[in-house]
Structures are given as structure tokens and as C-alpha cells.
Amino acid sequence: MELKRIIIKPTILCTADCVMCVNRQDLYKKFAIAGELTLVEWCDIIDNADRLGCKVVIISGGEPLLYKELPELVSYIKSKDMLVVINTSGHGYDKNLLKMICNAGVDDLSIPLYSNDEDIHDGIRKTKGAFFSAIETIDFISKECPDTKINSQYFLSKLNYRCLSEVLNLCIKLKINKLDFTYIEGDFNHENLLNATELTEYISEVIPKVTNVIAPYVDNYREIIDKLISLHGTSVNYLSKGIYQPGNTLPCKRPSEALLILCNGDVLPCNMIEYTNQRIAGNIKDSTLTEIWTGTKLNLFRDTNFPICRMCSLPLYTKIKFTYYDI
């Protein structure tokens, strides 16, 4: 069984207070007490991941650009010939550090655009100025680090569902490489989930606009539109309750391909565990990554389907890849 990728969070420090992170806060509070892993410990994790066959390292957070040793960490990961992806809000960072990181070999930089409207984007981030900072960062990377691919992310919610076509238009204007579309997760209180009426409006009014926007730039746009119209095969009733996999009775394959490693050393089998703070597979300070990967806890998790798995939106991720033709 090969470990294909790891998602690491070297810091939980952040420049935003996003609505989708509210259920992670209890987990993050204990990190302030436990402390963060050192660069040496992260390099040891990378060594173990390399031996297990890992080819992709996704660096997230918190805001990873607040991690001062990120250039050194990226350089070490690249020395193992791994692909490096960084998820960043594009807000509240040091531009010199960002340029150093890109020069160290970052392959992809993912900067979410939750709306084309600054008030909506900033409202989701709960941070004034976040939208224009993200746009400025995209422009900066395009000019200063042309070898780094710029991607974006968007989640569908009550807050921004009418904006999807405009967000895609903005991505095209900015020459974004791809946008990862998904549904809001971790909203256990259903505060920002679309209700049945809003989902119906999304299908009938928003998606036709999306079709017109992406058709000239996305080679497989018909396949993508089919997924969006069908709500990825999930009913309006289930989606309005945040249930993305209602009929899923089989164990998920993701814990057999990837791991999430938090700044205190906790190793999680998937991102849904980050919201619940339960069923943690182990901690790097107590065991090596190899021991955790082959250990009893993780193997048991792989063979089990938990109720919270129904609320995971990861299998519904849709990559919208743009192609730009020179005319």
C-alpha cells in the first residue's frame, strides 16, 4: 500500500477567521499548548513519506505563509523530487518570503476565490481586504514567479452560490490554471448550506451562466456541467442537510492513499477527523510516520465506514481546468 500524498499544516497561525473553520477551533486550541513541530521533525516526516512512496506534499494551514521556515521546508521537499502545492489565502504575508518560496521550487500555489464580490469573499474570510489581497497575490506571482502554477478553490454555499459564473470569469481573466469546485463541509449546524429552494435556483439559473462562461475555455465542460446539474448524483434533500454521500456503505480509499499531519504532530486519516478531533491515528512525537501508516489504528479506520463519512465532500471535488488559446 503506497502513500501517494500528505497534507501538512506546519502552523495554525492564520490571517483570517473563515466561516468553514469554526468546527476546527477546539482542535486548534490544544496546539497552543502542545507547540509546533520543528523543521528537523518536518524533514524527518518528509524522509519517511519518501520511503513510503509519497510523490505530492500539500502545505496548508492556518496560513502556511506565516511559517517562517517554509522556504527551507519547500527546498527539502523538492530535494526528494516531490510535487509541492501550497494552499494560501494570499493575505497578510511577507512578499519577499513568498518569492523565496516560489524560487525554492513550489509547483502549484492555490489561492481560493470564494466570490468576485469583495464583500462576500471578505465576509466568508471574516477579514477586511482579503479579496483584494488575493487578487494582488495572484498578480504578483504571475509577474515574479511565472514558473509557479496558480490554482484556485471555490466551495458552494448559501453565501456565494449566485457568484459561481462570475468567479469562473474572474479566474479566466486572471489566467488561473484550474479551479477546484466543491461544497462547503464541516457546517454541522447547517448555517451556510443551501436550502431546497436555493439549490433549485442554482440548478436553473446559475449553471446555465456557468456553461456560457466555461465552454470556450474548458475542454470537458459538458462533463463538468452534467456533474453540477445532477448535484454530483446527490439529491436536493440530502445536499440541503450537508449529506454528500448518503448511500456510501463502503470504506473510503483516501486513508489508504493520503494522510493529514498537523503542526503538533497529530496524524489524521482524513480531513473530516480534523473537524471532530476523534480517531487520530497517532502522533509523530510518539511514533514514526511509517509506524503510523502501517499501524493498527489506521488499518482499523480503513476498514470502517463512520457516520461522519456521509458528510465528507471530498469525493465531490470537481477540477475545472482552463485552456487558453493564443489568437
Side-chain angles (χ1 to χ4, degrees), residues 3-75:
L3 177 63
K4 295 182 178 180
R5 63 191 176 280
I6 57 173
I7 302 93
I8 66 174
K9 300 195 172 191
T11 183
I12 57 162
L13 295 175
C14 199
T15 57
D17 185 25
C18 302
V19 297
M20 56 281 195
C21 287
V22 63
N23 286 308
R24 299 174 180 172
Q25 297 309 314
D26 287 342
L27 176 64
Y28 287 172
K29 284 177 184 176
K30 75 175 187 179
F31 296 165
I33 301 173
E36 297 179 348
L37 296 177
T38 65
L39 177 62
V40 171
E41 288 173 313
W42 280 118
C43 290
D44 186 57
I45 289 169
I46 298 305
D47 287 339
N48 270 262
D50 182 42
R51 288 192 289 269
L52 289 168
C54 180
K55 299 300 182 186
V56 179
V57 179
I58 301 170
I59 307 176
S60 189
E63 173 50 68
L65 297 185
L66 295 180
Y67 181 61
K68 299 303 182 184
E69 294 179 296
L70 192 54
E72 292 83 358
L73 179 57
V74 169
S75 293

Side-chain angles (χ1 to χ4, degrees), residues 102-114:
C102 291
N103 290 337
V106 168
D107 297 279
D108 293 12
L109 200 69
S110 185
I111 304 172
L113 293 170
Y114 297 133

Side-chain angles (χ1 to χ4, degrees), residues 47-292:
D47 287 339
N48 270 262
D50 182 42
R51 288 192 289 269
L52 289 168
C54 180
K55 299 300 182 186
V56 179
V57 179
I58 301 170
I59 307 176
S60 189
E63 173 50 68
L65 297 185
L66 295 180
Y67 181 61
K68 299 303 182 184
E69 294 179 296
L70 192 54
E72 292 83 358
L73 179 57
V74 169
S75 293
Y76 192 79
I77 297 169
K78 292 305 296 181
S79 74
K80 302 296 180 179
D81 200 28
M82 295 176 176
L83 185 79
V84 178
V85 180
I86 292 181
N87 295 331
T88 172
S89 68
H91 175 71
Y93 61 90
D94 182 333
K95 282 188 177 179
N96 290 327
L97 180 67
L98 177 57
K99 193 169 182 179
M100 288 172 61
I101 292 163
C102 291
N103 290 337
V106 168
D107 297 279
D108 293 12
L109 200 69
S110 185
I111 304 172
L113 293 170
Y114 297 133
S115 175
N116 65 307
D117 183 299
E118 64 171 305
D119 291 333
I120 295 175
H121 182 94
D122 291 359
I124 291 172
R125 289 287 190 194
K126 295 185 183 178
T127 306
K128 190 68 175 175
F131 175 75
F132 284 115
S133 289
I135 299 298
E136 185 180 279
T137 299
I138 292 170
D139 184 61
F140 177 79
I141 294 299
S142 298
K143 293 176 180 176
E144 299 294 330
C145 310
D147 293 333
T148 301
K149 289 182 181 178
I150 305 173
N151 301 322
S152 192
Q153 302 171 28
Y154 169 96
F155 67 80
L156 190 74
S157 74
K158 182 187 293 289
L159 304 168
N160 65 346
Y161 72 98
R162 292 189 178 98
C163 303
L164 179 55
S165 64
E166 288 86 354
V167 168
L168 289 162
N169 234 334
L170 179 59
C171 287
I172 292 167
K173 179 181 178 181
L174 295 170
K175 295 294 180 72
I176 297 294
N177 175 56
K178 72 179 176 75
L179 179 136
D180 290 320
F181 169 97
T182 190
Y183 301 85
I184 190 170
E185 67 179 14
D187 186 8
F188 303 134
N189 295 324
H190 301 179
E191 294 178 4
N192 297 307
L193 295 172
L194 276 71
N195 60 37
T197 301
E198 291 164 335
L199 282 166
T200 301
E201 178 191 353
Y202 162 72
I203 293 170
S204 63
E205 297 184 24
V206 176
I207 294 182
K209 296 178 184 177
V210 169
T211 305
N212 292 334
V213 170
I214 69 173
Y217 298 95
V218 179
D219 293 338
N220 65 331
Y221 79 93
R222 293 184 186 279
E223 175 188 339
I224 290 170
I225 294 301
D226 286 344
K227 288 181 179 180
L228 298 183
I229 287 179
S230 69
L231 301 177
H232 291 77
T234 306
S235 72
V236 167
N237 180 50
Y238 280 121
L239 273 187
S240 64
K241 298 174 182 176
I243 298 174
Y244 302 117
Q245 301 183 76
N248 182 22
T249 57
L250 298 175
C252 180
K253 67 178 183 179
R254 290 180 183 275
S256 298
E257 298 178 348
L259 288 175
L260 173 62
I261 307 170
L262 305 181
C263 64
N264 71 328
D266 280 349
V267 179
L268 280 57
C270 68
N271 64 311
M272 290 305 292
I273 303 305
E274 191 179 11
Y275 291 104
T276 62
N277 195 18
Q278 296 176 356
R279 301 186 181 91
I280 293 171
N283 189 286
I284 291 299
K285 295 179 180 178
D286 302 321
S287 308
T288 67
L289 188 64
T290 301
E291 290 169 338
I292 294 171

